[in-house]
């Protein structure tokens, strides 16, 4: 996905010249969801997973937004988030590859659907050994080639 920027008038009559070259990233943000999730679960898991990436890797966060009336908005990721799906086995293998490459990652386990707050979420993950986690989602960030290797066997979410 390419994004281009153009010159636009700013409030107060000044204009800001912005780069018009397409932005290309040598990194990738990806979410891998287990294929048997309900639609509401897919959305919930994706939102939770990506919320952690900006805290561990602040470089993924872009500049704040502003509309033509100078109303400010929060910054968001500077690049697209690609969403994939796969089987339980694909997710487990991807998790192992993310760990072996020491990539920034976030996990969502099936146990988290039964909790209602952050403290209980963390306790639910902490209670299970790494190999026993019942993963339903994984978010990873890193160099494109490393993330692509982690996602081997997954397919783009429809």
């Amino acid at each position: 996905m390419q994004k281009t920027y153009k010159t636009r008038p700013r409030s107060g009559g000044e204009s800001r010249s912005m780069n018009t070259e397409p932005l290309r990233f040598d990194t990738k943000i990806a979410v891998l969801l287990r294929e048997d999730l309900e639609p509401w679960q897919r959305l919930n898991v994706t939102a939770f997973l990506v919320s952690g990436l900006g805290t561990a890797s602040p470089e993924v966060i872009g500049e704040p937004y502003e509309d033509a009336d100078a109303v400010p908005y929060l910054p968001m990721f500077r690049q697209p988030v690609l969403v994939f799906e796969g089987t339980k086995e694909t997710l487990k293998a991807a998790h192992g590859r993310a760990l072996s490459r020491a990539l920034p990652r976030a996990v969502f386990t099936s146990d988290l659907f039964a909790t209602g707050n952050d403290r209980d979420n963390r306790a639910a993950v902490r209670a299970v050994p790494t190999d026993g986690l019942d993963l339903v989602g994984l978010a990873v960030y890193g160099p494109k080639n490393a993330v692509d290797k982690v996602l081997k066997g997954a397919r783009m979410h429809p």
Side-chain angles (χ1 to χ4, degrees):
M1 176 180 280
Q2 297 179 2
K3 187 171 189 166
T4 58
Y5 295 96
K6 300 185 177 172
T7 302
R8 68 168 177 83
R10 305 246 320 142
S11 57
E14 71 178 32
S15 66
R16 175 170 56 184
S17 179
M18 298 181 186
N19 188 350
T20 59
E21 292 297 314
L23 288 176
R24 290 185 171 67
F25 300 100
D26 57 359
T27 57
K28 185 180 275 189
I29 300 171
V31 172
L32 175 56
L33 302 172
R34 203 164 75 190
E35 64 186 1
D36 61 348
L37 296 179
E38 294 294 326
W40 73 267
Q41 292 173 317
R42 291 171 184 257
L43 295 171
N44 184 266
V45 170
T46 300
F48 267 93
L49 288 171
V50 298
S51 71
L53 292 179
T55 61
S57 304
E59 70 274 11
V60 303
I61 305 298
E63 296 295 320
Y65 285 72
E66 179 182 288
D67 66 24
D69 293 322
V71 175
Y73 301 96
L74 294 172
M76 297 185 281
F77 288 134
R78 66 186 178 123
Q79 65 190 90
V81 175
L82 302 172
V83 182
F84 296 81
E85 69 175 7
T87 64
K88 184 175 185 171
E89 295 75 22
T90 301
L91 199 55
K92 185 173 182 68
H95 180 246
R97 290 190 290 266
L99 290 174
S100 72
R101 287 171 173 77
L103 292 176
R105 65 210 164 266
V107 296
F108 197 105
T109 67
S110 63
D111 298 329
L112 302 188
F113 289 125
T115 60
N117 62 74
D118 185 53
R119 183 181 56 238
D120 291 343
N121 286 351
R122 285 182 282 111
V125 173
R126 188 179 310 112
V128 181
T130 304
D131 288 342
L133 293 172
D134 184 17
L135 297 169
V136 297
L138 171 71
V140 293
Y141 168 72
K144 277 185 182 180
N145 61 347
V147 173
D148 288 342
K149 289 176 183 173
V150 165
L151 297 172
K152 184 179 178 185
R155 60 191 173 277
M156 286 295 291
H157 188 279

